[in-house]
Amino acid sequence: MRVLVLTGAGVSAESGIPTFRGKDGYWRNLDPARLATPEAFEKNPKLVWEWYRERRQRIRNAQPNAAHEAIANLAQHAHEFLLITQNVDDLHARAGLPKEKMVQIHGDIFLTRCSRCDFGFTERKHEHEHEHEQEQEEEEENVVPRCAKRDALMRPGVVWFGEQLPWNEVQRVEGYLGGGVCDLVIVAGTTATFGYIIDWAMRAAAPNGELIEVNPEETPLSQFATRLVREPAAIALPRLVDQLVAQPPEL
Ligand code: OAD
């Protein structure tokens, strides 16, 4: 089986990480223009950092759920596998999915990088890693980090509205899509707001691959899916993956 999985915030919802556009989603209560654009960062870097530090802490305290585990399990059984996730959390990795089988197309929230040069480092991700770093981060809560090489502010390593997707990661996606059509494409927990998500899903599945959407709600992708699973990901994906592993789709 050659498999592509695309995920969004809905997959981490059952780990307690808020989605963006859902009922209690971030964008219902907060204005993206004040928090997730280069202009917002230029205007109020402290506010932007506060929000990202809060989110980092919430993710550190969270655990991968059955959906993350099912995807890692599917990756082990597929001959070829790629996950494209829009999630900046590390829950897919913590569920055991190897880095080389995953593209974080909107970046990594634990990465801190310079806003002007390519200097960057990864923050402590888990509770058990170097406790002193947590103390340090708490102490520096009100401080906007500065680049050690350039006279510039450090920023979270995520993609903001109005920014380009990371070139290397897009190349990895294109490389995988160019390697052949997929027997199976699963799109889980995303409103598929961005055209490239729909485009990648459809290109990967065309002309005869199965395209399964796992989402309690309808999305712009639903009309193109060959199968709709209107259930939460942590319920649907373990069952779906068990079925697929027992009986892969026919070529
Ligand atoms: P959204 O918040 O737009 O959508 C979450 C989707 O998950 C919705 O379609 C829900 O119906 C679905 N959902 C909710 N709970 C679910 C569950 N338990 N199981 C399965 N599905 C569930 O999040 P994304 O589509 O990931 O980008 O948003 C895409 C991008 O927009 C994000 O990466 C972020 C955001 O602004 C940037 O910040 C660049």
Side-chain angles (χ1 to χ4, degrees):
M1 264 198 307
R2 184 173 165 81
V3 179
L4 178 72
V5 177
L6 294 118
T7 62
V11 162
S12 294
E14 284 152 284
S15 294
I17 312 291
T19 64
F20 293 94
R21 297 173 184 82
K23 190 164 62 66
D24 299 315
Y26 283 121
W27 301 152
R28 286 288 167 101
N29 308 307
L30 301 168
D31 179 3
R34 282 189 69 216
L35 293 166
T37 62
E39 294 76 22
F41 185 67
E42 210 166 293
K43 205 166 153 193
N44 197 342
K46 213 174 128 205
L47 177 74
V48 173
W49 263 114
E50 253 170 49
W51 188 58
Y52 279 94
R53 284 192 175 117
E54 232 175 77
R55 287 177 60 198
R56 279 180 176 177
Q57 199 49 46
R58 191 189 274 265
I59 293 164
R60 284 187 186 113
N61 294 337
Q63 296 303 325
N65 65 51
H68 300 105
E69 279 157 15
I71 292 168
N73 182 18
L74 180 60
Q76 272 192 336
H77 285 88
H79 296 131
E80 291 174 84
F81 181 95
L82 187 71
L83 167 74
I84 305 171
T85 184
Q86 297 162 87
N87 298 345
V88 296
D89 66 46
D90 60 347
L91 297 180
H92 282 297
R94 279 160 64 193
L97 188 68
K99 250 186 172 174
E100 63 277 10
K101 294 193 177 183
M102 168 171 51
V103 168
Q104 279 191 289
I105 202 66
H106 290 167
D108 172 354
I109 196 168
F110 290 104
L111 187 69
T112 297
R113 67 173 174 83
C114 178
S115 52
R116 282 176 57 195
C117 71
D118 55 12
F119 175 69
F121 59 88
T122 302
E123 284 282 341
R124 182 187 59 85
K125 294 192 177 188
H126 314 299
E127 287 309 326
H128 59 268
E129 284 176 32
H130 319 298
E131 272 176 23
H132 64 275
E133 281 183 30
Q134 182 181 2
E135 282 159 26
Q136 195 179 342
E137 197 176 339
E138 275 164 12
E139 258 172 44
E140 291 173 357
E141 211 144 85
N142 290 316
V143 176
V144 175
R146 298 194 78 90
C147 179
K149 295 187 181 170
R150 300 277 292 257
D151 182 22
L153 299 182
M154 299 290 280
R155 54 165 283 180
V158 300
V159 178
W160 284 327
F161 289 101
E163 292 187 317
Q164 301 218 319
L165 296 177
W167 190 84
N168 283 348
E169 302 304 282
V170 172
Q171 291 313 303
R172 287 182 62 209
V173 172
E174 290 298 336
Y176 190 72
L177 295 184
V181 290
C182 293
D183 310 300
L184 171 66
V185 179
I186 300 176
V187 183
T190 176
T191 42
T193 306
F194 299 110
Y196 45 86
I197 297 299
I198 298 181
D199 176 51
W200 287 335
M202 291 185 59
R203 272 169 58 201
N208 297 319
E210 184 155 23
L211 174 50
I212 304 177
E213 180 176 63
V214 177
N215 197 317
E217 301 197 10
E218 187 168 341
T219 78
L221 190 84
S222 304
Q223 59 185 307
F224 306 113
T226 53
R227 189 165 154 198
L228 298 168
V229 186
R230 295 268 173 256
E231 280 179 319
I235 293 175
L237 280 172
R239 195 184 56 225
L240 191 62
V241 169
D242 283 349
Q243 285 166 4
L244 288 165
V245 167
Q247 204 174 19
E250 282 179 21
L251 300 184

